[in-house]
Amino acid sequence: MDKFFDKFYYGGDYNPNQFPKEIWYEDMRLFKLAGVNIVTLPVFSWASLQPSENEYDFSWLDEIFDLVEQNGIDICLATSTAAQPAWMSKRYPEVCPVDENGVRVKHGWRVNFCPNSEVYRHFASKLAGKLAEHYKDRKSIKVWHIGNEYGPVCYCDTCAGKFREWLKKKYKTIENLNKAWNLQFWGHTVYDWDEVLPPSNIAGGKIVHQARALDYFRFMNDSVLECYLLEKEEIRKHTPNIPITTNLMGTYKPLDYFKWAKEMDIVSWDSYPRANDPMSNIAMRHDLMRGLKEGQSFMLMEQTPSQQNWQAYNSLKKPGIMRLWSYQAIAHGADTVMFFQMRRSHGGCEKFHGALIAHVGHENTRVFRECAELGAELPKLKEIIGSRVKAKAAILFDWENWHALELSSGPSKDLKYVPEINRYHSAFYNNNVTVDVINPSFDLSKYDVVVAPVLYMVREGVAENIKEYVKNGGTFITTFFSGIVDENDYVTMKGYPGELRDLLGIWAEEIDPLFPEDKNGIVMQENDLGLSGEYECKLICDIIHSEGAKVLGVYKDNFYMGMPCLTVNEYGKGKAYYVATAPSAEFMDAFIKGICQQKNILPKYTFDKGIEFTERENEHGKYLFVLNHNTCEASIDLADDKFVDLLTSKEYSGKATLPKYGVLVLKKIN
Ligand code: GLA
Ligand code: ZN
């Protein structure tokens, strides 16, 4: 399904129970002024909803529901299960998780439970069911919000036992397990299931068997997901037609969000960039969140209106930035703009986190004014709800590969997955070529260009999927340290890049990591990408031999000077590129531009640097989102196309100039 809401929702986390009642009425007045039409209730209130094991009290929440509904505001109903009440941790200490050192973590934080605790699971799903039963007839509930930012990892004995069961199901025999984890290495063979332990903090956190750690990640992901599913099942019994979500966190390593998205009706996520995060990195995370459900639009569940409290430096979003970044989320597929939080906490660790309503309590603040201005604009976007972002390029992102790559001891501690994803994403971004960030197992046929940065682990079916795509005319790009291991982290014995070797027409003989202060260069050879001269490269240099691939660039230095570092291989009707090193941004922008030019997917509009745009499309039309990230005016040339700006009703064609941080939402009219 593409469309879940019939309003453009604007609002966010609301915690009125932290304040006296008089304030609730004032909140309603302020919400109306700000154009708030949805609030998320009651994210962290388990202890008030269930004061003791056998006692539930929803009366205070009933009152808030009534008030919110009387004011025409809809509700995103949270199950409140991310922080268990103190009585539970006291009576059932096993609810609290155990850390990697075997120490039971004390009660007092949040998302601080053992996901395999039967007690936690029982009480959490029961509360979700009770809430659903109690509120099932409230028409104001538009979406369910289970838990909050899931993510506990636990190493307790219960988890160890469950891990063994999980392994037995997967491997059947202890021999298979020994083989899968290569336990012959260092003589770690096991003979009985009770000798199998979760990875723990031995030798300062060193991992001996990467396959074990990988399985623990998969197992923990499944365990946490089960908690979500148990609540979901209870909710569905009473409210089968209300969409269900949980708020994700972008590039959050502990959970494989592709697996989660299958169980979510609509993806929602919390975007908390640093003030100096490159815009392309923020865009990448939106593209990933949209990619989880193959392009379905998502909810921006949380962002701060002004500042955070938990970063090292919680700088303010400058005037205009909150609006600009909200539109950036929409440009990348968001159908809601929501905040943490509606009113600044009076006390506690989030009291300095930004909110719609400041401690001073009135509307005469910069942040409130900016929020109210945005709140007045967003209803104009109603027709874009459910529209799809159009992308002809894709980047493959794989959580298992991420773990495997970073569990690897060698070749370089500086080799990290997300920065390599960003290296490619930012090159598309700078050329304003929209990308979907998707799973390697997804259908690739709708894309002209597919990139798999550091595809170290090639899981079953992935090589076939990519080859099928290239055979049919696709252009594929991959990089150094790809095609190295299978899903148990066993290294290919077929020469790197293993299963991708024939596709790429190269053999990587050696892998040379560089010291941070060292660099090499790419010397371009004859090519049809429009690249010439030399470019810098760093980090890793694969030493490769062509086995049929055309050499487009060679190394400038080192003992492998003159050997290939950029190649292309014809395969079926398509092409497969190998980038054997980590090139400079200058190379990346030119290389991706050359590739997109060849595939004819460069935008038809020309634009100044710092102008970002994407296109969304649905049955009502095509919408071009144009964002000016510059601190000065900048322009886009719309050629002969004619548009009307949904925000101002002004018509545009030819050159359009945007003020600093300006935004256009242009509907095509010719
Ligand atoms: C997360 C949580 C919120 C709040 C914010 C603060 O996203 O979901 O409850 O703690 O962080 O930035
Ligand atoms: Zn546990």
Side-chain angles (χ1 to χ4, degrees):
M1 189 166 135
D2 270 3
K3 198 175 158 183
F4 288 90
F5 307 125
D6 53 16
K7 278 185 198 163
F8 201 99
Y9 278 120
Y10 186 57
D13 279 32
Y14 181 40
N15 301 304
N17 41 327
Q18 293 178 15
F19 298 94
K21 233 179 246 175
E22 315 80 80
I23 286 192
W24 304 1
Y25 296 95
E26 181 62 359
D27 288 340
M28 296 304 128
R29 182 184 76 82
L30 293 169
F31 288 171
K32 275 192 207 151
L33 279 180
V36 166
N37 56 10
I38 195 162
V39 290
T40 306
L41 292 168
V43 181
F44 287 103
S45 306
W46 195 345
S48 319
L49 296 168
Q50 190 180 2
S52 70
E53 184 156 344
N54 297 310
E55 188 192 352
Y56 289 85
D57 175 14
F58 297 169
S59 57
W60 61 271
L61 186 56
D62 292 346
E63 235 181 291
I64 293 165
F65 252 87
D66 290 343
L67 185 65
V68 165
E69 285 176 351
Q70 281 154 18
N71 284 278
I73 295 170
D74 286 329
I75 290 166
C76 166
L77 186 54
T79 60
S80 238
T81 52
Q84 72 271 20
W87 59 257
M88 196 186 298
S89 304
K90 181 175 77 175
R91 174 125 195 236
Y92 306 99
E94 75 270 25
V95 168
C96 288
V98 167
D99 71 13
E100 271 176 300
N101 299 308
V103 177
R104 178 129 359 236
V105 182
K106 296 243 186 296
H107 179 88
W109 190 239
R110 64 179 197 185
V111 195
N112 186 40
F113 52 85
C114 163
N116 282 301
S117 155
E118 287 306 329
V119 174
Y120 172 81
R121 288 179 171 199
H122 165 78
F123 283 122
S125 53
K126 194 165 165 193
L127 176 60
K130 282 197 174 282
L131 283 167
E133 192 180 11
H134 186 82
Y135 290 111
K136 65 178 189 304
D137 297 323
R138 298 268 187 166
K139 298 278 174 286
S140 56
I141 305 172
K142 299 301 173 188
V143 58
W144 277 97
H145 173 302
I146 295 184
N148 191 72
E149 297 189 335
Y150 272 105
V153 177
C154 180
Y155 298 85
C156 75
D157 291 344
T158 309
C159 286
K162 283 278 171 75
F163 183 42
R164 286 179 203 115
E165 280 170 32
W166 186 92
L167 292 168
K168 271 186 210 164
K169 223 159 133 197
K170 182 169 177 183
Y171 296 113
K172 312 282 186 300
T173 68
I174 201 87
E175 291 75 26
N176 290 343
L177 178 79
N178 276 307
K179 179 143 194 319
W181 288 3
N182 195 24
L183 292 180
Q184 278 291 348
F185 176 76
W186 284 6
H188 280 266
T189 306
V190 288
Y191 294 93
D192 224 324
W193 286 101
D194 61 8
E195 292 161 19
V196 181
L197 301 171
S200 56
N201 197 2
I202 24 171
K206 293 210 174 71
I207 301 288
V208 180
H209 296 95
Q210 279 67 27
R212 179 216 306 260
L214 271 169
D215 269 341
Y216 205 67
F217 150 65
R218 292 173 181 130
F219 158 73
M220 259 303 137
N221 179 72
D222 289 358
S223 304
V224 182
L225 184 54
E226 272 168 34
C227 295
Y228 165 87
L229 288 173
L230 287 168
E231 290 193 34
K232 181 178 162 189
E233 200 183 309
E234 291 304 311
I235 292 169
R236 276 278 199 263
K237 281 185 199 159
H238 303 287
T239 61
N241 300 318
I242 300 178
I244 298 177
T245 191
T246 179
N247 47 343
L248 308 180
M249 292 176 275
T251 44
Y252 178 68
K253 196 174 169 190
L255 299 178
D256 185 341
Y257 284 158
F258 282 108
K259 289 190 177 148
W260 281 70
K262 286 192 186 134
E263 309 295 346
M264 297 164 67
D265 296 319
I266 183 166
V267 164
S268 67
W269 89 282
D270 303 343
S271 181
Y272 288 105
R274 284 192 321 268
N276 57 359
D277 233 349
M279 288 317 297
S280 61
N281 291 8
I282 310 177
M284 190 279 280
R285 295 191 285 269
H286 286 307
D287 291 339
L288 173 63
M289 294 297 98
R290 186 184 70 247
L292 295 178
K293 283 186 94 66
E294 298 194 54
Q296 182 187 292
S297 55
F298 58 87
M299 298 175 70
L300 179 63
M301 184 64 91
E302 291 181 26
Q303 63 168 345
T304 177
S306 58
Q307 69 194 139
Q308 283 122 245
N309 67 283
W310 46 266
Q311 302 219 13
Y313 305 97
N314 297 286
S315 52
L316 294 170
K317 286 182 176 167
K318 298 201 166 78
I321 288 290
M322 182 280 292
R323 174 177 183 262
L324 180 67
W325 292 9
S326 299
Y327 279 109
Q328 190 196 30
I330 302 169
H332 286 264
D335 276 351
T336 68
V337 169
M338 293 162 72
F339 297 114
F340 180 85
Q341 53 194 338
M342 294 291 92
R343 183 183 272 276
R344 264 191 169 181
S345 301
H346 198 174
C349 65
E350 287 179 336
K351 62 185 177 296
F352 296 124
H353 195 288
L356 168 71
I357 306 167
H359 286 138
V360 69
H362 58 57
E363 64 270 41
N364 302 316
T365 65
R366 170 184 77 91
V367 171
F368 191 95
R369 275 192 298 275
E370 286 190 37
C371 289
E373 278 163 22
L374 182 61
E377 270 177 4
L378 291 176
K380 298 176 185 163
L381 297 191
K382 188 173 168 202
E383 65 178 88
I384 67 130
I385 298 172
S387 59
R388 293 227 162 200
V389 173
K390 279 193 358 195
K392 300 304 279 171
I395 291 179
L396 306 186
F397 190 102
D398 184 355
W399 258 266
E400 300 209 8
N401 181 48
W402 184 1
H403 278 261
L405 179 74
E406 294 181 8
L407 280 165
S408 173
S409 180
S412 166
K413 81 172 182 52
D414 290 348
L415 176 53
K416 298 278 183 251
Y417 189 48
V418 174
E420 294 311 310
I421 296 286
N422 279 325
R423 190 188 299 282
Y424 281 82
H425 188 280
S426 63
F428 284 102
Y429 179 90
N430 292 341
N431 284 294
N432 269 321
V433 175
T434 305
V435 259
D436 285 344
V437 181
I438 56 165
N439 191 267
S441 62
F442 284 6
D443 176 17
L444 306 178
S445 63
K446 61 178 174 191
Y447 300 107
D448 290 307
V449 180
V450 170
V451 190
V454 235
L455 190 61
Y456 165 75
M457 172 186 278
V458 180
R459 292 192 283 118
E460 214 182 304
V462 167
E464 291 73 14
N465 197 30
I466 295 169
K467 286 179 186 176
E468 194 54 33
Y469 161 73
V470 181
K471 238 183 233 161
N472 292 323
T475 290
F476 175 67
I477 303 169
T478 190
T479 71
F480 60 88
F481 211 42
S482 290
I484 308 289
V485 299
D486 69 6
E487 40 203 287
N488 286 320
D489 205 51
Y490 266 115
V491 177
T492 178
M493 302 296 259
K494 298 177 193 153
Y496 318 142
E499 281 187 86
L500 304 175
R501 189 168 164 185
D502 61 326
L503 169 69
L504 294 157
I506 57 131
W507 168 46
E509 184 181 350
E510 288 186 274
I511 300 160
D512 191 18
L514 307 187
F515 282 96
E517 60 275 21
D518 290 344
K519 56 178 193 260
N520 203 325
I522 302 172
V523 183
M524 290 308 301
Q525 310 290 291
E526 190 200 321
N527 67 84
D528 54 8
L529 296 171
L531 275 77
S532 61
E534 290 177 14
Y535 296 92
E536 249 181 39
C537 61
K538 300 187 87 154
L539 191 69
I540 303 275
C541 296
D542 274 7
I543 305 180
I544 63 172
H545 304 273
S546 165
E547 294 179 329
K550 182 167 184 242
V551 178
L552 305 179
V554 297
Y555 284 115
K556 182 182 174 197
D557 284 324
N558 219 324
F559 70 91
Y560 38 90
M561 177 176 109
M563 286 183 76
C565 60
L566 178 68
T567 59
V568 61
N569 194 40
E570 310 267 337
Y571 188 87
K573 292 189 211 142
K575 288 177 178 179
Y577 289 84
Y578 193 77
V579 187
T581 180
S584 64
E586 193 200 347
F587 171 90
M588 290 308 309
D589 288 358
F591 173 59
I592 293 301
K593 186 175 184 178
I595 298 273
C596 293
Q597 203 149 31
Q598 262 190 14
K599 299 300 283 189
N600 211 8
I601 59 167
L602 280 180
K604 63 188 276 205
Y605 310 120
T606 51
F607 49 89
D608 289 341
K609 198 168 182 299
I611 289 277
E612 171 182 359
F613 61 88
T614 67
E615 216 175 300
R616 287 181 68 163
E617 196 177 324
N618 64 10
E619 69 279 14
H620 307 300
K622 287 183 176 179
Y623 307 90
L624 186 70
F625 289 79
V626 189
L627 315 166
N628 181 12
H629 294 291
N630 296 294
T631 50
C632 57
E633 268 188 9
S635 305
I636 178 167
D637 191 337
L638 301 163
D640 295 336
D641 289 349
K642 289 198 170 55
F643 294 95
V644 59
D645 181 10
L646 292 186
L647 304 177
T648 59
S649 304
K650 234 179 108 179
E651 292 196 4
Y652 285 90
S653 183
K655 189 169 164 184
T657 300
L658 290 83
K660 159 187 174 180
Y661 304 152
V663 173
L664 296 172
V665 182
L666 301 175
K667 182 175 185 178
K668 196 144 183 289
I669 50 176
N670 71 339

